[in-house]
Amino acid sequence: MSNTFTYQTEQFADVKILRYQVPEFEKLNLRQKQLIYFLAEAARCGRDILFDQNNKYNLRIRRTLEAIVKSYDGDRESENFKSFLVYTKRVWFSNGIHHHYSMDKFLPEFDEEYFGELLANSNPDLLPFGEDIIELMNQLVPVIFEENVEAKRVVLNPDLDLIADSANNYYEGVSQEEVEKFYASADKGDPEKPLSIGLNSKLIKENGELIEKVWKIGGMYSAALEKVVYWLEKAVEVADSDLQKQSLIKLIDFYKTGDLTTFDEYSILWVKDLDAHVDVVNGFIEVYGDALAFKASWESVVNFKDIEATKRTEIISDNAQWFEDNSPVDDRFKKDEVKGVSAKVITVAMLGGDCHPATPIGINLPNAEWIRKEHGSKSVTIDNVTHAYHQSSLKSGMLEEFAYSDEEIARAKEHGYLGGNLHTDLHECLGHGSGQLLQGVGVDALKNYHSTLEEARADLFALYYMMEPKMLEIGLMPNLDVAKAEYDGYIRNGLMTQLTRIELGKDIEESHMRNRQLIAKWVFERGEHAIEKVMKEGKTFFVVKDYEKLRELFGELLAEVQRIKSEGDFEAGKALVEDYAVKVDLNLHKEVKERFEKLNLAAYAGFINPDYHPVIENDEIIDVEISYPMDFSEQMLEYSEKYSFLPHVN
Ligand code: ZN
């Protein structure tokens, strides 16, 4: 990739905006380019859905902010207006008013009086309720400015009502107890092949009765889903394989009917399709936005295979059974036969919904446990995105600040990129797919601790095998320094650097972060000789002393977390998470924040998508050209203009 490409375009609040390149796009054939173009359109048509899922006021707020951005005719140079722009960009970045990672509502740095002034001097035709600014203010001012209104998108604190106290829009007028009861008695179909009940609906109480408003054409979110389907239907015509064609047809059928059996059928076709070079995730997929993990947010990732880098993951999946057989977990919890672990490295062509602007770096789907067991899963590492992260981080100064020795820094610079990518490969390709539940254990047994423990299980699997001599034998790494760099980085991040993302005095909430602290803290406390806490010039460092010992500890914890999952041991899972993953050492936290602030870096990153332009001749697409926009705000305004289909209230 070209060195002159601009990766970072701007930084505001705690985020930086990056761009990613799509290498090799030009080399795809015309049909594949058309396919990417159609899928990329579909990927953006569901954007409003995610805003509405995150909070029922989000669309009204976003549209109000955009009306001001476009038409405010007062002073645009004032500090207040600059604060307004930062707030607006944060709403775009987070797909709503809550921080994309901490889930806390963020507050603007201007007051409601100024908000009124902005509204009064903007074009009312662009505002959600036209001339009726009073009504707009009545609805939005408490939500935007009052700290305790819609305070947290996903509440995970067990002392609260995980449903009623969460500000997401997956439920309305119902309590945690009611939701648990409702889904405990819901018809899951064949017990061997339980449906992902609740996945694609909002649960509300109407006249004292609980009913699901299903997200489908003709149901909730219909207007956006119709557009998604419009583009998917075009994609069917140029599909990259026969299975892909069938799976897209099933997906369309699912959007039309909302039928969860159809969704499972789609997922099976999708997971079996290994021939298509261009691939897509499009749908209601991940459940992190729901404390009880029933409801899935809408997302899309359009991508194609990076053939060269995929050789790495092919080695991993070819050896999947060996990894399963030799893992340190109890034999009862292992899969006798690991099925179809397909892993590939991909180049992302378009991110949408819950994968944009912030994006995962690896994906492993489908989520339905029984499909994974019977049909396997598809696992991907997103190379062009990690490459962009890596490029933008090289000169950040983080390593120099938080790594203990020159040796550790040099190792990280030389091997950290491969170490990180291999970790992601192992995590996605083997970790999530490994192990099995004992007969009769439900997939929801770990409730609100499920996500953290599941991430921990996948991370531990990766960490345990990083130091495995077989990794050298099968050519995955040149030497164990790659593993050492990954161990150093993992401990550093889990115990220190990820704390830069947490507000002082707050607990850790997000499940991937909880998982990392859980693991790092557990092995640190267990292994006196494995990791040492060292003070140097008043600064804290965690230094790995014995990599072999550390590996053993990862294995020990992996065995325990797998046992908890396989047996559905809620109490033990809860204890692990509450004891290790949630609370932060305040003094250390303060120190880390101070050291980080001096570097003037953003804790989070998100991406500007490329644009695709069809070249049309005689009504036919004869080519598709790619361009790389530079301005985040322009892209967000353009998306809201072109891909906004839902009413203010759904
Ligand atoms: Zn994961």
Side-chain angles (χ1 to χ4, degrees):
M1 293 185 204
S2 154
N3 287 327
T4 53
F5 188 78
T6 306
Y7 286 95
Q8 183 168 342
T9 61
E10 67 177 311
Q11 189 170 321
F12 54 85
D14 57 355
V15 303
K16 59 182 172 185
I17 300 295
L18 306 178
R19 307 191 310 155
Y20 61 92
Q21 281 181 293
V22 188
E24 314 281 305
F25 174 77
E26 279 85 1
K27 292 188 189 152
L28 298 174
N29 66 40
L30 174 60
R31 188 185 45 71
Q32 290 170 327
K33 286 181 183 175
Q34 290 173 341
L35 178 58
I36 284 183
Y37 169 64
F38 297 146
L39 294 172
E41 290 294 316
R44 288 168 289 185
C45 289
R47 179 169 173 257
D48 276 3
I49 297 175
L50 180 71
F51 270 84
D52 195 71
Q53 288 180 316
N54 282 345
N55 183 267
K56 65 178 175 178
Y57 295 100
N58 276 340
L59 286 174
R60 270 166 279 182
I61 290 172
R62 190 193 79 202
R63 286 166 183 162
T64 302
L65 301 174
E66 287 165 352
I68 297 167
V69 172
K70 283 194 253 182
S71 68
Y72 176 65
D73 62 7
D75 180 5
R76 284 177 169 250
E77 298 302 319
S78 72
E79 284 310 307
N80 258 337
F81 194 76
K82 283 177 192 156
S83 299
F84 162 78
L85 283 182
V86 168
Y87 179 73
T88 303
K89 286 195 239 183
R90 296 188 78 184
V91 169
W92 282 327
F93 189 90
S94 300
N95 293 292
I97 57 175
H98 299 94
H99 193 279
H100 74 291
Y101 215 80
S102 75
M103 318 270 188
D104 289 321
K105 190 171 76 175
F106 48 85
L107 296 170
E109 288 181 4
F110 56 89
D111 60 18
E112 56 180 275
E113 198 183 322
Y114 182 68
F115 185 54
E117 194 187 311
L118 288 169
L119 291 173
N121 293 289
S122 294
N123 181 356
D125 296 341
L126 301 177
L127 291 169
F129 306 116
E131 303 279 353
D132 197 349
I133 289 174
I134 301 296
E135 173 60 22
L136 189 62
M137 293 275 285
N138 284 343
Q139 288 193 21
L140 300 193
V141 163
V143 181
I144 294 176
F145 295 94
E146 283 176 33
E147 203 173 348
N148 296 323
V149 177
E150 310 285 327
K152 195 163 189 92
R153 181 150 67 81
V154 189
V155 161
L156 295 173
N157 177 348
D159 300 334
L160 297 173
D161 187 299
L162 302 183
I163 299 303
D165 292 322
S166 289
N168 61 41
N169 191 25
Y170 292 131
Y171 305 92
E172 200 157 328
V174 291
S175 68
Q176 180 182 349
E177 200 188 335
E178 287 172 314
V179 173
E180 282 172 340
K181 260 195 198 147
F182 182 85
Y183 286 117
S185 62
D187 181 9
K188 298 180 185 67
D190 182 349
E192 296 288 303
K193 301 174 178 183
L195 298 170
S196 304
I197 46 164
L199 189 78
N200 63 333
S201 64
K202 178 175 177 178
L203 186 66
I204 62 167
K205 200 186 272 177
E206 225 173 58
N207 304 320
E209 231 172 288
L210 297 188
I211 54 160
E212 286 186 316
K213 285 173 79 177
V214 178
W215 306 326
K216 61 173 187 173
I217 290 181
M220 194 168 170
Y221 300 144
S222 185
L225 293 174
E226 284 163 40
K227 298 289 180 183
V228 172
V229 163
Y230 169 86
W231 290 107
L232 290 179
E233 280 173 342
K234 289 187 177 294
V236 167
E237 299 305 317
V238 289
D240 220 7
S241 69
D242 194 48
L243 271 171
Q244 181 169 70
K245 188 175 193 154
Q246 291 177 40
S247 79
L248 288 172
I249 290 169
K250 270 287 180 217
L251 178 61
I252 291 165
D253 191 22
F254 168 65
Y255 280 136
K256 287 180 174 169
T257 62
D259 181 53
L260 288 168
T261 307
T262 307
F263 180 67
D264 284 347
E265 288 164 2
Y266 153 72
S267 299
I268 293 165
L269 289 166
W270 178 82
V271 86
K272 282 185 179 164
D273 174 27
L274 302 176
D275 295 333
H277 185 62
V278 175
D279 204 353
V280 63
V281 174
N282 181 307
F284 301 105
I285 308 291
E286 301 291 355
V287 294
Y288 300 107
D290 174 8
L292 293 181
F294 289 111
K295 310 293 175 191
S297 60
W298 192 87
E299 69 173 43
S300 186
V301 178
V302 182
N303 63 82
F304 56 94
K305 199 192 274 189
D306 178 338
I307 290 173
E308 195 46 44
T310 293
K311 288 177 186 155
R312 191 179 75 213
T313 55
E314 279 168 354
I315 296 175
I316 292 175
S317 46
D318 286 347
N319 288 280
Q321 192 65 52
W322 186 90
F323 284 106
E324 182 76 1
D325 293 344
N326 288 279
S327 95
V329 314
D330 191 294
D331 283 343
R332 291 177 302 145
F333 311 143
K334 289 181 187 173
K335 280 196 174 95
D336 291 334
E337 199 188 334
V338 181
K339 279 195 187 146
V341 180
S342 81
K344 59 184 175 180
V345 178
I346 58 167
T347 300
V348 149
M350 183 59 68
L351 300 163
D354 216 358
C355 294
H356 186 250
T359 175
I361 53 171
I363 302 175
N364 182 307
L365 292 172
N367 283 326
E369 202 71 44
W370 74 267
I371 299 179
R372 304 170 72 86
K373 200 173 162 200
E374 276 187 32
H375 303 279
S377 63
K378 246 194 230 178
S379 163
V380 304
T381 307
I382 306 176
D383 198 64
N384 55 335
V385 161
T386 50
H387 182 81
Y389 274 126
H390 180 70
Q391 286 294 325
S392 81
S393 77
L394 273 180
K395 293 188 184 96
S396 72
M398 277 297 273
L399 268 176
E400 287 76 4
E401 179 60 41
F402 290 99
Y404 178 65
S405 62
D406 290 345
E407 184 194 342
E408 191 180 324
I409 295 167
R411 193 162 48 218
K413 287 202 164 161
E414 192 177 346
H415 301 293
Y417 184 57
L418 177 59
N421 279 345
L422 279 173
H423 178 109
T424 310
D425 295 341
L426 291 166
H427 173 114
E428 298 295 347
C429 162
L430 301 180
H432 280 303
S434 74
Q436 63 177 359
L437 301 178
L438 290 186
Q439 206 78 38
V441 174
V443 290
D444 50 0
L446 301 175
K447 293 187 192 170
N448 48 317
Y449 299 106
H450 170 85
S451 294
T452 298
L453 292 165
E454 179 55 22
E455 290 313 318
R457 203 173 65 84
D459 261 3
L460 285 162
F461 199 95
L463 289 165
Y464 177 75
Y465 279 117
M466 285 298 293
M467 283 291 284
E468 164 63 49
K470 184 150 181 116
M471 297 286 284
L472 303 179
E473 246 169 70
I474 55 182
L476 285 170
M477 48 172 82
N479 55 58
L480 284 180
D481 274 358
V482 179
K484 288 180 181 172
E486 177 56 24
Y487 277 19
D488 294 337
Y490 196 90
I491 296 300
R492 208 162 54 226
N493 188 37
L495 291 175
M496 289 205 293
T497 50
Q498 73 164 359
L499 296 178
T500 57
R501 299 172 163 198
I502 305 284
E503 251 179 77
L504 215 54
K506 294 223 160 144
D507 290 343
I508 300 177
E509 302 269 357
E510 199 278 335
S511 40
H512 295 80
M513 289 181 75
R514 282 188 165 188
N515 133 53
R516 289 182 209 119
Q517 178 171 298
L518 192 166
I519 293 172
K521 207 169 163 188
W522 192 94
V523 293
F524 172 63
E525 288 186 7
R526 272 317 119 110
E528 273 171 38
H529 307 294
I531 303 169
E532 202 178 321
K533 183 176 171 178
V534 182
M535 300 299 292
K536 190 170 72 174
E537 290 157 18
K539 292 176 179 177
T540 309
F541 297 88
F542 290 92
V543 189
V544 180
K545 289 287 178 193
D546 185 339
Y547 292 91
E548 273 305 325
K549 173 79 187 150
L550 182 54
R551 182 186 183 214
E552 272 170 39
L553 290 166
F554 286 140
E556 224 176 277
L557 185 56
L558 172 59
E560 173 61 3
V561 172
Q562 182 62 57
R563 184 197 65 76
I564 288 169
K565 179 176 179 180
S566 293
E567 294 179 353
D569 188 345
F570 176 79
E571 286 306 325
K574 176 182 174 181
L576 255 190
V577 175
E578 294 293 343
D579 289 349
Y580 293 95
V582 180
K583 296 285 174 214
V584 182
D585 173 343
L586 191 62
N587 285 329
L588 181 63
H589 195 182
K590 257 189 211 149
E591 180 196 319
V592 167
K593 294 282 265 194
E594 277 167 21
R595 288 163 67 182
F596 181 69
E597 263 153 38
K598 286 195 193 124
L599 300 174
N600 196 23
L601 301 172
Y604 305 93
F607 291 87
I608 298 174
N609 273 319
D611 279 334
Y612 296 90
H613 317 273
V615 180
I616 296 170
E617 229 178 71
N618 303 324
D619 287 341
E620 299 230 351
I621 297 177
I622 57 155
D623 197 9
V624 177
E625 287 170 355
I626 186 169
S627 67
Y628 299 101
M630 286 292 288
D631 192 289
F632 176 65
S633 300
E634 267 173 36
Q635 178 156 88
M636 292 292 96
L637 285 170
E638 185 200 331
Y639 282 11
S640 296
E641 195 103 327
K642 278 167 101 175
Y643 304 105
S644 188
F645 308 110
L646 295 182
H648 307 313
V649 181
N650 289 279

